[in-house]
Amino acid sequence: MILAAANLLIGLFLLAPMIVVVATAFTTTNYPVFPPVGFTFKWFHEFLSNTDFTDATQRSAVLATVSTLLSTALGTLSALALARWRGRGQQAVTMFMLSPILFPTIVLGLALLVFYSRVGLSGTFIGLVIAHSVVTTPFVIRLVLAGLAEFDPSVEEAARNLGAGWWRTFFLVTLPLIRPGVLAGAIFAFILSFDELVITLFLAGPGMQTLPIRIYTFVEYSSAPTISAIATVLIVAWVAIGVPVYARFLSIRHK
Amino acid sequence: MSDLQLQGLRKTYGTNVAVENLSLDVRDGEMVAFLGPSGCGKTTTLRMVAGFVSPTAGTIRVGGADITDLPPNRRDMGMVFQSYALFPHMTVRGNVAFGLKARHVNAAEVPSRIADALKLVGLSGYEERYPRELSGGQQQRVALARVLALRPKLLLFDEPLSNLDAKLRVQMRHEIRSLQKEVGITSLFVTHDQEEAMTIADRIVVMNVGRIEQAGTPDEIYDAPQTRFVADFIGTANLIPGQVADGRFRSTRGFELPLPDGAQASANEIVLSLRPEKIDMVAPETPESVVATITRVTKLGSTVEYAVTLASGDTLVVQKQNRSDRNNHEVGGQVGLLWSRADARLLP
């Protein structure tokens, strides 16, 4: 009973900001107020008719998708290698692979800026993809490793013994069994990348505004509830697309 | 056609020697058990045959062909794992079909091969079940069907019964043995359970610290152990240290007896090995018997174990059937011990 009540309170605490944001998106005032005054779709129209915003949203979606694909592939392979490593150094290298999680993003952004200007990647799309992947890959590694903890390696040996080559073993046996971890990692990577501001501020070239940068620059000179409308659209999109995907694939289905 | 030859197999990990210069010929259709304590190299040897561990030196031949460097998926062997290693996301049918598809068996043939294999292990009708819906014994049968469907040249068993409960383990031993005889596939069976090895195998290879201690039929291994380790590891044995002098064995404590038949005189430190159940207890005045005093009586259910002390101070264990009309000796009583000369063995 106490636990259930505590859960409810924590849930409310976590949901409160979202409720406020969604509510303020419909206010008729020129600034966000809670509770909202009146009811209007004006700010949604403002968001969707402003090409700065829609271009930025599209750019962020493409960037997040590409960096998610890259970091999921790299992170999964890395986690598989780390999980199989018997002997010395495994712990140290695992910690090293996960260390970008602990690294302040502002320092990482600065470091990448200096590095990119030497190798000519500054202000490029591929530069942003790599930078985002540096941030997101450790999370993929972490989540795939967690999934691998209960993975029986003799299942792969059985597949090899039954005549399957490396590819068949990986795609028909290993991947289906670690899919929950891989998918959780990918979802995490996508959200992190889509939301990334600090590093992107350092590295994005002119005309490469992502949605977080666009919002950031917007709130510097305006307090219009447009950003509440953007947030509401993102929340709805997440609930409509993300949650079902999460629920459908996050468990290994035997049936 | 599918005999197996291991020649000079060796595997080292750094300075650690897992298997040392192991050579063995396995006849076509033979079932050989590798028996030994953990870390003796039996599993490493099996994994080298399967292709999961590459030997540091030596060759592996199947039917005369050198397969030492072939990857596991091209070795045409079927392995049954301790953890069953079924694919949890596939049905029984999917599990059995996996190998057939991987080996590109003619698609028209696949359904009948699956049906035959499942029938062989008594699991017809379970095709659509998932592994987690089956008991441990049934899962291991699926693992067996999965490899039998491929009609491999060699069957490899890696402690397949260790995860089953005691009764089922005994039952599965006999099932695996009769199945193996029925299909006639050359098999290696790794176990640390001597009863399992003795039930299942045509020949037992006893291993210790990476080497073969002795290879022979279960009877040979039990009745004619060649080394102290084998005598001690297989069953129980009274091991009495001593020396050979003037054609007699003399224990360190001073107990003497004529040399067993065929024993070679040697002045080196040796042990006399005598199985507890091969000793008869008779009246103390019986001619040629060795007089002893009973110091401990332990009832083990079907048998009774007596600890007896000889005049020299040497202690022996004697095991007898638990019968109410016989062998009712008590602590402190005097008995005469008799045994056949052939059962007392001198071991280096």
Side-chain angles (χ1 to χ4, degrees):
Chain A
M1 260 321 273
I2 295 170
L3 279 179
N7 233 335
L8 192 72
L9 279 175
I10 294 168
L12 272 176
F13 177 72
L14 294 175
L15 272 175
M18 264 199 262
I19 294 166
V20 171
V21 164
V22 172
T24 56
F26 297 98
T27 186
T28 50
T29 53
N30 279 334
Y31 46 90
V33 283
F34 186 82
V37 180
F39 184 87
T40 176
F41 281 115
K42 180 178 158 194
W43 308 115
F44 289 89
H45 185 256
E46 197 90 330
F47 164 42
L48 296 170
S49 63
N50 183 335
T51 52
D52 271 2
F53 276 125
T54 52
D55 284 357
T57 308
Q58 201 184 356
R59 193 172 292 114
S60 275
V62 171
L63 175 59
T65 304
V66 177
S67 68
T68 296
L69 290 175
L70 181 66
S71 60
T72 304
L74 291 178
T76 302
L77 292 177
S78 162
L80 284 170
L82 289 170
R84 261 145 234 221
W85 189 340
R86 302 269 168 267
R88 263 180 223 207
Q90 196 263 359
Q91 292 267 329
V93 174
T94 304
M95 282 312 292
F96 174 74
M97 298 302 279
L98 298 179
S99 63
I101 293 177
L102 307 171
F103 219 63
T105 44
I106 197 156
V107 180
L108 199 59
L110 192 63
L112 281 169
L113 179 66
V114 173
F115 176 65
Y116 277 8
S117 57
R118 295 201 67 154
V119 298
L121 277 173
S122 45
T124 63
F125 178 75
I126 189 74
L128 281 183
V129 168
I130 293 171
H132 281 204
S133 299
V134 168
V135 176
T136 55
T137 304
F139 288 92
V140 178
I141 295 177
R142 184 80 226 115
L143 287 161
V144 177
L145 269 181
L148 278 169
E150 46 195 278
F151 181 81
D152 173 13
S154 63
V155 170
E156 282 181 335
E157 288 182 347
R160 300 274 286 148
N161 175 259
L162 291 168
W166 199 90
W167 286 103
R168 187 184 281 265
T169 302
F170 182 75
F171 284 106
L172 295 185
V173 176
T174 314
L175 197 55
L177 293 179
I178 62 170
R179 190 178 60 188
V182 173
L183 218 84
I187 290 171
F188 225 94
F190 187 89
I191 294 171
L192 278 174
S193 170
F194 195 84
D195 198 37
E196 214 300 312
L197 172 65
V198 180
I199 295 175
T200 319
L201 268 178
F202 276 97
L203 302 176
M208 291 198 56
Q209 284 200 330
T210 60
L211 188 60
I213 294 185
R214 185 70 201 101
I215 293 171
Y216 179 67
T217 49
F218 180 78
V219 296
E220 276 187 320
Y221 63 85
S222 164
S223 56
T226 318
I227 50 162
S228 296
I230 297 172
T232 305
V233 170
L234 295 182
I235 290 166
V236 170
W238 168 239
V239 171
I241 303 166
V243 173
V245 168
Y246 205 75
R248 169 72 180 83
F249 292 108
L250 218 58
S251 63
I252 308 175
R253 298 245 163 166
H254 299 284
K255 279 195 144 181
Chain B
M1 208 26 228
S2 309
D3 55 323
L4 168 73
Q5 280 179 292
L6 309 179
Q7 282 171 347
L9 269 194
R10 177 180 157 85
K11 180 64 189 179
T12 56
Y13 295 97
T15 55
N16 226 334
V17 180
V19 174
E20 180 66 278
N21 194 23
L22 185 143
S23 296
L24 183 74
D25 283 356
V26 181
R27 293 186 309 273
D28 184 25
E30 193 181 16
M31 168 75 111
V32 170
F34 284 83
L35 178 63
S38 44
C40 72
K42 57 189 193 298
T43 297
T44 307
T45 305
L46 190 79
R47 292 173 63 78
M48 285 195 275
V49 175
F52 298 130
V53 171
S54 52
T56 311
T59 53
I60 302 165
R61 287 172 200 279
V62 174
D66 186 344
I67 58 149
T68 316
D69 297 320
L70 276 188
N73 51 317
R74 292 177 48 207
R75 290 200 174 196
D76 200 8
M77 298 176 182
M79 183 148 167
V80 179
F81 295 80
Q82 181 175 357
S83 63
Y84 321 138
L86 295 180
F87 307 126
H89 58 302
M90 297 181 195
T91 58
V92 168
R93 184 196 304 284
N95 269 278
V96 181
F98 185 90
L100 295 167
K101 286 179 189 159
R103 295 191 189 189
H104 306 294
V105 168
N106 183 358
E109 219 185 299
V110 169
S112 66
R113 293 273 286 263
I114 296 173
D116 290 349
L118 287 176
K119 195 175 164 204
L120 210 51
V121 299
L123 280 182
S124 301
Y126 286 81
E127 287 82 354
E128 305 310 324
R129 302 279 192 98
Y130 282 82
R132 71 198 162 102
E133 299 171 321
L134 301 175
S135 70
Q138 290 171 329
Q139 290 189 39
Q140 199 53 295
R141 285 197 180 92
V142 175
L144 210 50
R146 188 168 69 169
V147 294
L148 289 174
L150 301 174
R151 298 170 189 158
K153 286 187 180 142
L154 221 59
L155 286 175
L156 308 175
F157 296 89
D158 184 13
E159 308 218 14
L161 306 180
S162 321
N163 286 2
L164 302 175
D165 64 55
K167 283 218 164 133
L168 190 59
R169 201 181 309 155
V170 172
Q171 184 197 334
M172 287 289 288
R173 265 180 212 164
H174 295 289
E175 279 187 32
I176 289 182
R177 180 53 172 159
S178 58
L179 258 178
Q180 190 268 337
K181 276 193 167 156
E182 194 179 332
V183 296
I185 300 175
T186 315
S187 302
L188 301 184
F189 192 103
V190 163
T191 179
H192 61 265
D193 181 333
Q194 46 162 310
E195 248 183 56
E196 202 166 285
M198 298 192 82
T199 319
I200 226 161
D202 294 309
R203 200 143 57 102
I204 295 176
V205 173
V206 182
M207 290 187 69
N208 186 33
V209 290
R211 291 167 191 275
I212 295 182
E213 285 276 335
Q214 187 175 352
T217 63
D219 283 349
E220 283 168 3
I221 295 282
Y222 189 79
D223 292 331
Q226 302 286 311
T227 67
R228 215 177 286 205
F229 176 83
V230 175
D232 199 31
F233 186 75
I234 312 292
T236 50
N238 292 296
L239 297 175
I240 307 168
Q243 285 177 322
V244 169
D246 305 329
R248 289 174 75 77
F249 170 82
R250 187 181 162 83
S251 85
T252 313
R253 287 170 180 270
F255 158 63
E256 283 193 26
L257 86 167
L259 282 188
D261 297 338
Q264 284 172 352
S266 132
N268 295 334
E269 278 289 307
I270 49 170
V271 292
L272 178 85
S273 158
L274 188 55
R275 299 275 185 207
E277 78 282 7
K278 308 251 183 195
I279 304 173
D280 270 335
M281 291 170 92
V282 293
E285 56 275 11
T286 311
E288 293 191 20
S289 72
V290 178
V291 179
T293 310
I294 294 179
T295 50
R296 181 168 46 81
V297 180
T298 314
K299 302 240 175 183
L300 296 172
S302 63
T303 60
V304 187
E305 200 183 85
Y306 298 96
V308 300
T309 306
L310 309 182
S312 61
D314 285 300
T315 307
L316 292 179
V317 172
V318 182
Q319 204 169 22
K320 296 278 99 190
Q321 291 295 314
N322 184 2
R323 296 182 54 165
S324 42
D325 59 338
R326 239 181 259 179
N327 303 320
N328 290 317
H329 305 282
E330 287 176 5
V331 173
Q334 294 253 311
V335 289
L337 305 179
L338 274 181
W339 58 81
S340 152
R341 271 198 188 190
D343 287 333
R345 304 189 58 84
L346 288 180
L347 303 175

